[in-house]
Amino acid sequence: MLYYILTLILGVILDTTIVPKPYRRKMRFWFVIWLYVFLCFGYMTGSDWRIYELDFYNMNTISDVRWSGEVLFGYLFLLLHRIIGDYWLSVGILKILYLYTLIRVTKRLSEFWLSVVVLMMPLSLLFILIDNPLRFMTALILVHVGMEMCLKQKTKLAISLMFFSFFFHNASIFFIILIPAILYAERLSSWNKIYLLVVYLVLTGISSYPALIEAFRRWIVFSIRSYNEGMSTYNTYEVTSNVFLFSIGSLFELVIMGVVLFTRDTISQKNENGKLIFGMTVAYLMLARILHVIPTGFRLVIPLGIFYTVYMIYLIKARNIFRWLFIVYIAASFPRYLWNTYKFIPYSNSIPYIITGHLDYYERSMYNISDFKNRTQEDVYIMITP
């Protein structure tokens, strides 16, 4: 657990004046190397690797590609199998590409990009790189590049990249909306704050009646996948019931929304791209509110989370009270987030095993699960949702 917590703390510290300027650049360089080694080469952590590793080694010809609707991922997987041959090295390279493209987008939005990256660990980065839904992560590599092209006003190239990401993971077709969102997000900064808050409250109310969202979800899933697999893959992804209009979690999110709205003028005026970051943060919070009732719905706002995290960094830098609230929140939530699953601890790294040879598949598969059972006395039921 300490690996994760110290990585987060050190990343934030290296973006402050605590570290003397002459040493900061060199320390940042070595810290980024650490991020690549630490986050991109997890071994017995995560869950989805169990099925992906078997598929990787059982794939020899194009006819073995089983992701017929996500054909580019299947061809890429087959190519990696033939050229590299080692599943863990292949996945490590894809994770490096993901983290690299994430850093590139973040650098375009904030000078405090290192803080943004490490603060995304509890938000989405550990899910993507340690738990590692591989097809989805691979699609997000193209989404990140598309976002960067959109920020550079290269809209046609951005649309092309978003389109091709669909053939790595079908759900990524949703991310085409990122292009108009980025192009027009600044307009939200001129909207009335009370109006935006009312819209958010309405969305909170709608999310308390999951039948509406479930009907819409089924229509979207059917439209995207009927040509290929129909509803068979997604029948287990149900909208969850929420009988309370406001839970503790939703109240916390409401407070965050209020803080974002009523600090809009300060953040937008004092920071480059401030209006864009405000607009995308509002979009993130609203979409997250409506999608939280779908177990995998949070994936669809992960790219928007970059803007949200940048905004949080600006708040932390602007006011001491936000800085202390952040410290209390991380101290209370991050260790629990790590502890309450087998996916992150104990941490293990694949690099030594790539060099010397891999452990037995069953031993690796049960390693973190056995540790979790021993420390919590809870059973684990693995559900693979790649």
Side-chain angles (χ1 to χ4, degrees):
M1 185 184 295
L2 280 178
Y3 288 121
Y4 299 100
I5 295 172
L6 292 177
T7 297
L8 190 151
I9 293 172
L10 185 56
V12 173
I13 288 175
L14 288 175
D15 255 354
T16 67
T17 55
I18 295 174
V19 181
K21 197 169 184 179
Y23 303 102
R24 198 180 308 162
R25 184 169 182 176
K26 186 177 289 186
M27 291 181 69
R28 275 184 171 188
F29 171 80
W30 287 110
F31 182 76
V32 171
I33 296 297
W34 162 253
L35 286 181
Y36 281 115
V37 171
F38 174 58
L39 293 175
C40 299
F41 289 93
Y43 194 45
M44 292 175 279
T45 53
S47 58
D48 289 354
W49 65 266
R50 291 168 176 82
I51 186 68
Y52 278 121
E53 182 178 354
L54 295 176
D55 285 337
F56 183 87
Y57 290 121
N58 290 328
M59 188 178 295
N60 297 301
T61 66
I62 291 177
S63 62
D64 294 326
V65 174
R66 69 179 181 89
W67 302 283
S68 56
E70 296 155 340
V71 63
L72 291 183
F73 176 82
Y75 291 157
L76 174 64
F77 221 39
L78 179 60
L79 184 66
L80 291 170
H81 173 73
R82 288 184 173 180
I83 294 176
I84 297 176
D86 187 291
Y87 169 79
W88 293 99
L89 179 56
S90 301
V91 171
I93 291 170
L94 292 177
K95 289 181 180 181
I96 287 171
L97 287 173
Y98 175 87
L99 185 55
Y100 174 74
T101 56
L102 173 67
I103 290 173
R104 282 184 64 92
V105 174
T106 307
K107 280 184 173 181
R108 294 196 64 85
L109 296 173
S110 175
E111 62 180 305
F112 305 114
W113 58 270
L114 193 56
S115 293
V116 174
V117 170
V118 296
L119 289 182
M120 289 189 72
M121 285 171 57
L123 188 69
S124 62
L125 206 53
L126 293 188
F127 166 69
I128 293 293
L129 293 178
I130 301 295
D131 193 12
N132 194 220
L134 186 56
R135 295 192 339 269
F136 185 68
M137 181 198 74
T138 308
L140 285 181
I141 295 171
L142 290 181
V143 171
H144 286 163
V145 180
M147 290 171 65
E148 185 180 4
M149 294 302 104
C150 194
L151 292 169
K152 291 180 177 180
Q153 304 299 314
K154 297 181 179 179
T155 309
K156 291 182 180 178
L157 181 55
I159 292 172
S160 299
L161 289 164
M162 297 291 187
F163 174 75
F164 280 111
S165 72
F166 172 77
F167 297 101
F168 288 89
H169 194 285
N170 290 165
S172 63
I173 194 67
F174 177 85
F175 298 131
I176 285 187
I177 70 167
L178 286 172
I179 296 170
I182 290 172
L183 294 175
Y184 298 105
E186 291 187 12
R187 297 185 182 185
L188 281 177
S189 64
S190 63
W191 287 25
N192 184 278
K193 298 173 187 177
I194 302 299
Y195 174 74
L196 289 172
L197 186 59
V198 168
V199 170
Y200 182 79
L201 290 172
V202 169
L203 292 177
T204 300
I206 292 173
S207 69
S208 300
Y209 296 93
L212 295 174
I213 303 171
E214 174 66 9
F216 180 71
R217 180 198 69 82
R218 286 183 175 275
W219 177 77
I220 290 291
V221 169
F222 181 80
S223 299
I224 291 174
R225 301 190 64 103
S226 59
Y227 77 98
N228 175 30
E229 301 172 17
M231 294 290 290
S232 60
T233 303
Y234 279 75
N235 277 339
T236 58
Y237 292 2
E238 301 295 335
V239 171
T240 56
S241 178
N242 181 12
V243 296
F244 297 105
L245 182 60
F246 288 110
S247 63
I248 293 176
S250 64
L251 284 173
F252 176 78
E253 291 164 5
L254 177 61
V255 170
I256 292 292
M257 186 63 165
V259 169
V260 168
L261 291 177
F262 291 97
T263 57
R264 177 185 65 187
D265 297 336
T266 301
I267 301 300
S268 297
Q269 293 170 10
K270 289 187 177 181
N271 299 282
E272 187 180 1
N273 298 316
K275 291 181 179 179
L276 167 66
I277 292 165
F278 168 81
M280 295 298 279
T281 299
V282 170
Y284 169 83
L285 290 168
M286 288 186 175
L287 282 172
R289 180 69 269 171
I290 202 72
L291 291 171
H292 85 286
V293 294
I294 303 174
T296 58
F298 71 94
R299 295 185 181 198
L300 301 181
V301 294
I302 284 175
L304 288 168
I306 301 172
F307 299 90
Y308 168 77
T309 312
V310 170
Y311 199 95
M312 293 301 105
I313 288 294
Y314 285 152
L315 285 178
I316 291 167
K317 300 290 183 182
R319 304 280 177 83
N320 281 331
I321 185 170
F322 295 129
R323 190 173 302 134
W324 286 108
L325 286 173
F326 162 76
I327 291 171
V328 171
Y329 173 73
I330 291 295
S333 63
F334 193 36
R336 186 175 61 179
Y337 170 70
L338 297 171
W339 183 263
N340 287 342
T341 177
Y342 68 91
K343 297 175 182 179
F344 305 125
I345 54 176
Y347 175 81
S348 53
N349 193 276
S350 65
I351 293 177
Y353 301 101
I354 291 171
I355 296 170
T356 63
H358 293 289
L359 299 175
D360 174 73
Y361 175 87
Y362 181 79
E363 179 183 350
R364 286 185 281 116
S365 182
M366 293 305 299
Y367 184 76
N368 275 45
I369 293 173
S370 298
D371 180 86
F372 178 78
K373 286 183 178 180
N374 289 336
R375 72 171 186 264
T376 65
Q377 309 304 312
E378 295 181 17
D379 290 325
V380 175
Y381 302 95
I382 299 175
M383 182 178 69
I384 303 298
T385 56

